[in-house]
Amino acid sequence: MHVLLTGASGDIGRFVMRKLLADGCRVTALGRRPVDDPSVAFSGFDLADPVPNLPAADALVHCALLHEPGRFRGGEGSDPETFQSVNVDGSRRLFEAARRAGCRQAVFLSSRAVYGDHRSGEILLETDEALPDSLYGEVKLAGERALQALCGGSFRGSVLRATGVYGVPPGKTGHKWSDLFETFRRGEAVPPRIGTEVHGDDLAGAVALMLRQDLKAGSPFRIFNVSDLLLDRHELLRLYSKTIGLDRALPVPVTVTVTGDGAPGVMAIDRLKSLGWSPGGPGRLQAFLRSQS
């Protein structure tokens, strides 16, 4: 299978690229510059391109996002208009170009931000009404709808609403918790926080699973939640300190009431699990922490 991949040099794209290559796919990275892997072809692409010119392929995986480096939510910085227009219109033009290039399917990396942050302690289902309360969430939801509008006939689309992604991206040494771990090692106070997480390899596995689905079965457009752990920084740093043998003060646990207040909404993943997806859970988190010792 020949797969076009945007965002291949980004953190999520690196996990996806490694998985696609391991599965024997032929991968062409779409971007401003080639990736540092001679086995990956390159085709120049920018989300701002008015008419993207894509090579013929079987599928598209869209991970790219124009944003301020290191930020997703709030990544619009001081230019929300450009953030919105390039990401929304650019994604729509990309999906249209992929269909013209012969792609039979597209996988779009969306976000749990489409649900909004107002649903504390609730279970979030793919069938729920999306009510984003950030520009990032609005942009991701618009991308989903742009893909859905093109699906039908010989072209199918899958949306993966991913939660926070942890793990060391292939080819890099740092990760999302590098600064947090360094702050903790120095003995500085760490503010409490609780959130949902999934390892990058598990997210990449979900992408690969989408590409393996029977294109003749089911709806031409599908949405799947991708999440694994509800993780309190208190527990994360307790495990980390135990793994590396470090005695430091832990942040206080986040207080969660019986009604769920204090905890984020947790995405249901039954739909994805029914297709055979099985995330690594606490075992994969422990393996990651051991790799940081």
Side-chain angles (χ1 to χ4, degrees):
M1 176 184 289
H2 182 196
V3 181
L4 307 178
L5 174 63
T6 71
S9 61
D11 289 353
I12 292 175
R14 289 170 181 264
F15 284 110
V16 173
M17 182 172 65
R18 180 170 68 181
K19 175 60 175 174
L20 295 178
L21 292 173
D23 284 357
C25 294
R26 174 186 165 201
V27 179
T28 295
L30 305 179
R32 298 188 183 97
R33 61 189 66 85
V35 297
D36 189 19
D37 189 325
S39 67
V40 176
F42 170 74
S43 183
F45 168 76
D46 191 299
L47 274 171
D49 291 343
V51 184
N53 183 22
L54 307 183
D58 301 301
L60 166 73
V61 178
H62 182 24
C63 301
L65 180 78
L66 173 70
H67 62 98
E68 288 196 351
R71 302 181 70 187
F72 291 97
R73 299 195 191 202
E76 67 271 17
S78 60
D79 192 358
E81 292 80 10
T82 298
F83 176 82
Q84 187 166 30
S85 63
V86 171
N87 287 308
V88 174
D89 295 336
S91 294
R92 175 183 51 78
R93 292 190 295 260
L94 174 65
F95 296 141
E96 292 171 346
R99 192 171 63 171
R100 290 195 303 270
C103 290
R104 299 184 62 205
Q105 59 178 316
V107 180
F108 176 52
L109 264 293
S110 186
S111 168
R112 62 161 288 146
V114 302
Y115 294 109
D117 292 328
H118 55 280
R119 297 182 56 187
S120 177
E122 295 185 36
I123 301 299
L124 310 178
L125 302 172
E126 294 93 339
T127 52
D128 292 347
E129 181 182 6
L131 294 170
D133 46 20
S134 65
L135 186 56
Y136 173 68
E138 292 174 6
V139 161
K140 285 296 186 180
L141 181 59
E144 293 183 10
R145 290 173 174 168
L147 177 57
Q148 183 178 16
L150 293 170
C151 290
S154 61
F155 186 70
R156 305 171 72 87
S158 300
V159 166
L160 297 177
R161 291 176 174 170
T163 186
V165 180
Y166 78 94
V168 179
K172 300 182 75 172
T173 56
H175 53 85
K176 68 177 293 182
W177 293 326
S178 292
D179 291 343
L180 174 67
F181 287 175
E182 178 60 28
T183 298
F184 179 68
R185 286 194 297 269
R186 290 196 302 262
E188 299 177 14
V190 173
R193 184 181 183 277
I194 188 170
T196 52
E197 304 289 344
V198 67
H199 193 282
D201 284 334
D202 287 323
L203 176 54
V207 171
L209 182 60
M210 296 297 99
L211 297 177
R212 293 196 300 268
Q213 294 304 296
D214 182 359
L215 293 178
K216 297 180 181 179
S219 169
F221 177 77
R222 304 169 300 173
I223 298 174
F224 297 91
N225 289 332
V226 188
S227 187
D228 187 12
L229 302 170
L230 177 62
L231 188 60
D232 193 312
R233 276 185 179 174
H234 174 89
E235 178 63 9
L236 171 65
L237 293 176
R238 185 191 70 80
L239 293 171
Y240 178 64
S241 62
K242 181 179 179 180
T243 300
I244 67 173
L246 185 67
D247 184 16
R248 294 287 187 272
L250 297 171
V252 298
V254 174
T255 300
V256 179
T257 69
V258 292
T259 59
D261 291 339
V266 175
M267 295 192 294
I269 56 174
D270 301 311
R271 179 178 289 185
L272 190 55
K273 280 190 168 184
S274 72
L275 298 180
W277 186 69
S278 180
R284 176 155 272 169
L285 175 64
Q286 289 275 20
F288 164 74
L289 294 175
R290 287 194 296 271
S291 75
Q292 299 302 298
S293 62

